[in-house]
Structures are given as structure tokens and as C-alpha cells.
């Protein structure tokens, strides 16, 4: 059959709502590309003009033409070995979006998908199409599905009132002030236009969604939300780190085995919980400084930009400032923690570090330790909330910026013990902290708990356990864990496990 006829038949089989979503996923605003900058004029036109004209004319002709062009480009595309191109990214995004929406063209060359995945050096686990979907876009899709056409229309009206933001934007004028979002698929096109417009204007990204939340907050709840949804529910969904579908993220386990009883148990437990959380895992036993540098270099490869989060377990002996490696050399803990968050592939994504080692030799001994309780009150804090609001600064959009991000932002560091203190171990089972952390994560995977909630429970649980030193003094002590957070959103564990689905992968 003629390819033109095939493409036409394929497009005619897709509903308007799915066409809008396919266009949205395919034109992913933050798609990694060294060739096209986010403020490129052509990119603006390509991602916004078809949506604008579709909303204005109630006609999907331009979106159809865009999808036809993509299919034709992929049909003529020759996969070049070793060199990763913009088209490679686009091909993978397009394929994963089609799989997700169940609209894969029967004529799409899946062998090219496999060849591109080879260029990215993807493992069998990484060839699952769900890895290629952007979690932030999936969250935005759910927000759109939770809103009625009237709700999106109200968001549009609120956006149009911000004259400084929309000044001299041609696509805004194409749509006009009043729109009818009720025809099938138009609500989606208008919502996705708003999202892409705010992204291109550097007002929102996968972490900073305040501007979008404020538009939603201006809607009338009685007419804007689908049945069973509320504005609070919709806005709250934007306040979590996007980690939808499989995998939950990439997990790196580094464990020094030499001289650490129970170390293999630590590896088994952390590998088990990472699998339970649907993470793709890599383990390094007895790491050295050279190993760490090689891992950092590996994580800079383009394929890691598809991951939604990064977790690292580092288990070794240590003191207040450093950690002991397998070859007896030490590395500064601060150096380790600051070198990983700066890796570009995980920018704007949650990065969690579990640092399991002693940080000194002090012990919170139970014998003879007494602490006098202290409390303090101050009339200064007894201020009515209205008075507080009246004294707050009026922070305008003109003094907000989301373009520049301090490297440590979106990083979370969990320590097995507090500074200058021991981190307890069991002879056969290894770190007690690792054991309890894995147990609590496993128990809470289907309860919608956040990482911080679980670690607060872990802090309580660990501090109840009586431990004993292994030296001749046999001192009974307690261990206290803590964490440092640079998070800007909440990180929740997945509600359900998402096992690898081989049936959805491209042929090897």
C-alpha cells in the first residue's frame, strides 16, 4: 500500500484527544538536544502554532500535517552509528508516545528504534518504552484530564490578563480572548498550548510550576473540575516530583565489603528494595576513587536524561569528614555529595543519597546520661495570620527567575548517623540503618507516603533500638539518623510496582 495512504489511514484512526496528546508528548519542551536551544524561534513556531490554529479554527489540519511530517522524516531517516542526533531523540519520544497512547503506526520501522537504542547504549531493561516518556509531561496530562473545558477556558482568561507576559506573542493573538474549548480535543490543545507557552517563556519547568498552579487556582471549582476532582487535588499533584510509570529512577549502590561484616546483606537488601520500587539498578562492590570517577562519567551519557530520579546508597567505614574506600584510601564526604548533583543528566530531578558510615566515634550512651528539658515561649510569635500576611513582601513575577539553579537543589542526603557518632552494625546482617530503611520502604510502597515521611518513621524506629559496641567495653548506646534536604517538591514512593514489560520494547 502507498505510504501516503497508510499515513492518512493511520491519522484517521486517532481520536482528536489522542492527537492533541501525541503532539504534546512529541514536542516535549525539555527534550535534550545540543542542537536546538529552548528559546529558538523555529521551535516556538513548531510547538505552539499548530496548537494555536487548532484551538482557533477547531480544525486539526495543522497537527495532522505536523504528525505527517514527523512520520515522513523518520521514514527517510538513516541511523548514523555513534553520533546521537536531535532526530534520534525525537524518534524515541514519538515511538514511546505512540506506544503509551496505543496508536503506533503499523508502518513505523521498529528496527530503527532498536538501532537508536543501541547508539544510546541502552540495556535490555532500558529498552522499555516507558523509560522514554517524560514523567513531567505525564503529570501535566493528568492535570488536563482532571479539568473540564470550562476550567481550561478560565485558565486562558487568567493568562490573557497578564499583559506583560503575553505582549507581542503572535500565537496568543491567533487564539483570541474568548475560546470554545468544548469540541472534542480542543480542551487538550488549549491546555497544552498554555503549558508549552509558559515553558518557552521560562515561567515553568518540571520543578517550578508555581505559575501554572496560580492559573489553576483562579478557576471556579464548581465548573472547572471533572467529577471526583477538586482544585486542591489538581494543584497538589503538581507539588510532587514527577516520577510516573516505569522506572521510578536509576539506583546506584556502592558498598565496601572488605572489613565490613554483613556487607553482602546490605547489597542484597538495597537491591531488593530498588527492584521493589521499580528502579533500574547498578552495583559497585569495593569502590575506589577511580571507580567513582568512572561512574560519574557513565552517568553523563545521554541515556540517563530519560530517567526521572537518581538514588545512591554508599556504604563504608568513615569518620566525621571522610569515607574509607576498598583500597584503604579515603574521600571527603562533602566532595562526593557535591560532585554527583552537578551531573547535567539529572538536573531538575530528585537526587537521593543514603550515606551509611560512621561519622565519628562518639556514642549516645544510656548509662548516666541525663538531659534537662528546656522550653521557651515568646509573645512575638503570637501574631494573627492576617497581620502576618499584611507584613509580607509582595513578590512579583519580575523578580522571579527559574533559569539558573544552584547545583545542590533537588538533592536529598540521608545520613545513617549524626556528626561525630557511630553507625551501628550487626555481625551477620550489616548496617541496622539499611535494614530498617529497606523494611519501611517496602511496607509503605502502596500507601502513597513521601520519602521524608518514611525517614521520619525510620528516625523513630532506629532510635528505639538498643545497640551494643563490639569492643570489650560492650557499651549500650542508641543511634540517631538525620537528613539534609534541598528538595523543592515532595518525592513520593510509587503506589504500585511497574514491572518491566518486554512486550512493549522495541525488537533487539
Amino acid at each position: 500500500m502507498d505510504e501516503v495512504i497508510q499515513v492518512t489511514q493511520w491519522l484517521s484512526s486517532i481520536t482528536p484527544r489522542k492527537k492533541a496528546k501525541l503532539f504534546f508528548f512529541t514536542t516535549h519542551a525539555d527534550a535534550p538536544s545540543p542542537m536546538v536551544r529552548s528559546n529558538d524561534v523555529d521551535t516556538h513556531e513548531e510547538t505552539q502554532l499548530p496548537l494555536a490554529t487548532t484551538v482557533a479554527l477547531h480544525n486539526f489540519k495543522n497537527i495532522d500535517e505536523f504528525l505527517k511530517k514527523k512520520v515522513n522524516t523518520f521514514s527517510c531517516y538513516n541511523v548514523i552509528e555513534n553520533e546521537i542526533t536531535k532526530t534520534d531523540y525525537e524518534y524515541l519520544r514519538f515511538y514511546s508516545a505512540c506506544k503509551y497512547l496505543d496508536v503506533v503506526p503499523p508502518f513505523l520501522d521498529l528496527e530503527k528504534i532498536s538501532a537508536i537504542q543501541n547508539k544510546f547504549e541502552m540495556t535490555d531493561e532500558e529498552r522499555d518504552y516507558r523509560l522514554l516518556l517524560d514523567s513531567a509531561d505525564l503529570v501535566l496530562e493528568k492535570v488536563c484530564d482532571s479539568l473540564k473545558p470550562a476550567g481550561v477556558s478560565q485558565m486562558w482568561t487568567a493568562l490573557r490578563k497578564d499583559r506583560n507576559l503575553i505582549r507581542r506573542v503572535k500565537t496568543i493573538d491567533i487564539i483570541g480572548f474568548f475560546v470554545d474549548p468544548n469540541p472534542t480535543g480542543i480542551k487538550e490543545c488549549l491546555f497544552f498550548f498554555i503549558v508549552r507557552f509558559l515553558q518557552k517563556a521560562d515561567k515553568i519547568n518540571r520543578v517550578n510550576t508555581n505559575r501554572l498552579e496560580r492559573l489553576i487556582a483562579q478557576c471556579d471549582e464548581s465548573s472547572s473540575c471533572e467529577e471526583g476532582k477538586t482544585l486542591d487535588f489538581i494543584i497538589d499533584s503538581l507539588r510532587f516530583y514527577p516520577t510516573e510509570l516505569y522506572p521510578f529512577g536509576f539506583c546506584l549502590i556502592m558498598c565496601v565489603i572488605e572489613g565490613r561484616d554483613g556487607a553482602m546483606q546490605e547489597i542484597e537488601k538495597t537491591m531488593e528494595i530498588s527492584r521493589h520500587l521499580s528502579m533500574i539498578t547498578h552495583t559497585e562492590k569495593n569502590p575506589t576513587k577511580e571507580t567513582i570517577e568512572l561512574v560519574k562519567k557513565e552517568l553523563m551519557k545521554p541515556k540517563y536524561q530519560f530517567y526521572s530520579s537518581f538514588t545512591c546508597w554508599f556504604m563504608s567505614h568513615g569518620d566525621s569528614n571522610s569515607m574509607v574506600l576498598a583500597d584503604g584510601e579515603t574521600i571527603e564526604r562533602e566532595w562526593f555529595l557535591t560532585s554527583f548533583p552537578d551531573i547535567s543528566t539529572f538536573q531538575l530531578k530528585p537526587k537521593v543519597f543514603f550515606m551509611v558510615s560512621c561519622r565519628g566515634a562518639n556514642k549516645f550512651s544510656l548509662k548516666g546520661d541525663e538531659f534537662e528539658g528546656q522550653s521557651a515561649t515568646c509573645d512575638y510569635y503570637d501574631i494573627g495570620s492576617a497581620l502576618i500576611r499584611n507584613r509580607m513582601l509582595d513578590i512579583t513575577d519580575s523578580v522571579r527567575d527559574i533559569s539558573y539553579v544552584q547545583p545542590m537543589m533537588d538533592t536529598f542526603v540521608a545520613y545513617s548517623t549524626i556528626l561525630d557518632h557511630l553507625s551501628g552494625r550487626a555481625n551477620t546482617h550489616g548496617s541496622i540503618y539499611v535494614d530498617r530503611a529497606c523494611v519501611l520502604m517496602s511496607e509503605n510502597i502502596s500507601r502513597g507516603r513521601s520519602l521524608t515521611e518514611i525517614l521520619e518513621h525510620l528516625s523513630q524506629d532506629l532510635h528505639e533500638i538498643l545497640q551494643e559496641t563490639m569492643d570489650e567495653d560492650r557499651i549500650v548506646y542508641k543511634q540517631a539518623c538525620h537528613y539534609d534536604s534541598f528538595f523543592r517538591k515532595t518525592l513520593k514512593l510509587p503506589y504500585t510496582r511497574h514491572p518491566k514489560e518486554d512486550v512493549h520494547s522495541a525488537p533487539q
Side-chain angles (χ1 to χ4, degrees):
M1 185 184 297
D2 182 80
E3 185 173 315
V4 175
I5 298 176
Q6 284 185 311
V7 174
T8 302
Q9 289 181 345
W10 169 67
L11 284 171
S12 65
S13 70
I14 305 175
T15 66
R17 291 182 71 243
K18 285 191 175 183
K19 282 184 182 179
K21 291 183 177 184
L22 181 57
F23 180 89
F24 179 64
F25 292 138
T26 304
T27 58
H28 171 61
D30 298 320
S33 170
M35 305 171 68
V36 179
R37 296 175 55 180
S38 63
N39 60 349
D40 190 291
V41 174
D42 292 336
T43 305
H44 277 250
E45 294 297 319
E46 186 179 54
T47 59
Q48 294 178 36
L49 186 58
L51 290 171
T53 54
T54 301
V55 173
L57 303 175
H58 290 182
N59 186 311
F60 278 78
K61 178 181 177 181
N62 284 341
I63 287 182
D64 285 350
E65 289 300 319
F66 172 88
L67 295 174
K68 283 182 183 178
K69 182 179 177 182
K70 285 293 179 188
V71 170
N72 291 334
T73 298
F74 298 149
S75 177
C76 300
Y77 180 58
N78 293 318
V79 180
I80 304 171
E81 291 187 7
N82 300 323
E83 180 185 351
I84 294 177
T85 67
K86 177 175 178 285
T87 304
D88 290 328
Y89 284 108
E90 291 178 343
Y91 208 143
L92 292 182
R93 295 286 188 194
F94 180 77
Y95 165 72
S96 63
C98 288
K99 288 293 293 183
Y100 175 70
L101 296 169
D102 195 23
V103 294
V104 178
F107 48 84
L108 191 67
D109 190 344
L110 299 184
E111 292 298 330
K112 288 184 181 179
I113 304 273
S114 182
I116 294 172
Q117 290 172 327
N118 289 339
K119 289 170 63 174
F120 278 90
E121 301 177 29
M122 289 183 172
T123 64
D124 288 346
E125 282 184 297
E126 292 169 330
R127 291 172 186 252
D128 190 304
Y129 81 95
R130 293 169 296 179
L131 172 65
L132 307 175
L133 290 165
D134 184 77
S135 290
D137 281 351
L138 293 176
V139 171
L140 292 165
E141 179 208 16
K142 289 183 178 179
V143 170
C144 181
D145 289 344
S146 299
L147 290 166
K148 290 182 177 179
V152 179
S153 179
Q154 290 165 27
M155 289 176 61
W156 176 248
T157 300
L159 178 66
R160 286 296 306 252
K161 291 178 179 178
D162 190 339
R163 299 192 178 280
N164 290 328
L165 182 60
I166 67 172
R167 184 182 295 126
R168 293 189 296 275
V169 179
K170 293 180 180 178
T171 47
I172 295 283
D173 294 331
I174 289 173
I175 297 176
F177 199 93
F178 298 104
V179 297
D180 177 12
N182 288 294
T184 305
I186 300 302
K187 177 196 81 170
E188 286 75 17
C189 287
L190 180 58
F191 180 83
F192 296 145
F193 176 87
I194 293 171
V195 167
R196 289 292 185 244
F197 171 75
L198 291 174
Q199 288 171 333
K200 296 301 181 183
D202 273 336
K203 296 301 180 182
I204 65 171
N205 54 34
R206 63 185 298 119
V207 172
N208 302 90
T209 54
N210 288 336
R211 192 67 183 85
L212 182 61
E213 292 171 26
R214 280 152 49 195
L215 287 179
I216 296 172
Q218 294 180 62
C219 295
D220 172 56
E221 187 159 73
S222 62
S223 61
S224 62
C225 302
E226 291 288 354
E227 185 176 354
K229 308 297 184 183
T230 64
L231 291 179
D232 284 343
F233 172 86
I234 296 170
I235 292 171
D236 282 347
S237 68
L238 291 168
R239 293 179 177 171
F240 299 106
Y241 280 107
T243 52
E244 303 292 302
L245 288 185
Y246 170 93
F248 181 65
F250 182 79
C251 181
L252 170 65
I253 299 171
M254 290 186 165
C255 184
V256 176
I257 299 173
E258 301 298 328
R260 297 182 66 249
D261 295 336
M264 290 304 298
Q265 284 283 326
E266 295 172 352
I267 293 175
E268 290 177 14
K269 291 171 186 175
T270 50
M271 286 185 66
E272 182 180 359
I273 193 60
S274 68
R275 286 194 295 265
H276 198 58
L277 293 170
S278 300
M279 304 183 84
I280 293 177
T281 305
H282 175 75
T283 301
E284 289 287 347
K285 299 176 183 177
N286 289 323
T288 63
K289 192 163 187 177
E290 181 181 4
T291 306
I292 295 171
E293 291 295 344
L294 288 174
V295 168
K296 287 168 57 182
K297 185 177 180 181
E298 167 69 20
L299 293 175
M300 292 178 185
K301 290 181 178 179
K303 70 175 182 178
Y304 292 98
Q305 298 187 52
F306 294 110
Y307 282 92
S308 299
S309 69
F310 173 75
T311 298
C312 174
W313 293 83
F314 195 100
M315 297 165 282
S316 71
H317 289 307
D319 57 29
S320 59
N321 297 314
S322 60
M323 302 177 295
V324 183
L325 301 175
D327 56 6
E329 295 293 319
T330 61
I331 58 168
E332 294 295 312
R333 190 177 286 103
E334 189 69 19
W335 171 84
F336 181 85
L337 290 173
T338 55
S339 59
F340 277 87
D342 204 23
I343 294 175
S344 60
T345 45
F346 289 101
Q347 284 183 355
L348 300 180
K349 299 173 183 178
K351 296 165 282 290
V352 179
F353 294 84
F354 290 95
M355 310 303 293
V356 184
S357 69
C358 290
R359 301 179 68 195
N362 292 341
K363 297 169 286 294
F364 176 61
S365 175
L366 301 187
K367 185 178 179 180
D369 280 348
E370 297 179 358
F371 296 89
E372 183 177 341
Q374 296 182 353
S375 63
T377 58
C378 180
D379 291 340
Y380 174 79
Y381 294 102
D382 188 20
I383 304 176
S385 59
L387 180 56
I388 291 178
R389 285 198 300 272
N390 290 337
R391 294 171 60 182
M392 291 292 186
L393 289 171
D394 181 17
I395 307 297
T396 63
D397 284 349
S398 63
V399 293
R400 291 180 181 272
D401 173 78
I402 67 171
S403 303
Y404 301 95
V405 182
Q406 211 280 345
M408 283 299 289
M409 297 306 293
D410 307 306
T411 300
F412 187 101
V413 184
Y415 296 94
S416 62
T417 188
I418 59 178
L419 184 63
D420 297 327
H421 283 67
L422 288 175
S423 181
R425 318 177 46 73
N427 285 335
T428 55
H429 288 72
S431 167
I432 297 173
Y433 175 88
V434 170
D435 180 87
R436 303 317 301 161
C438 291
V439 167
L440 291 175
M441 287 185 197
S442 177
E443 290 177 349
N444 285 280
I445 189 170
S446 299
R447 299 178 182 175
R449 301 285 170 79
S450 69
L451 177 65
T452 50
E453 286 179 301
I454 293 170
L455 291 184
E456 285 162 2
H457 189 177
L458 172 61
S459 181
Q460 177 191 143
D461 186 41
L462 184 67
H463 201 57
E464 291 177 355
I465 300 172
L466 299 179
Q467 301 186 49
E468 190 176 55
T469 60
M470 298 179 186
D471 55 23
E472 59 183 18
D473 295 329
R474 314 298 290 182
I475 297 172
V476 177
Y477 68 98
K478 282 189 171 185
Q479 181 176 337
C481 58
H482 79 111
Y483 59 80
D484 293 332
S485 177
F486 301 88
F487 272 5
R488 292 182 286 172
K489 285 184 180 289
T490 302
L491 178 63
K492 277 193 174 184
L493 298 190
Y495 282 93
T496 56
R497 296 184 63 187
H498 297 289
K500 182 176 182 291
E501 296 183 7
D502 294 325
V503 295
H504 292 302
S505 300
Q508 305 298 306

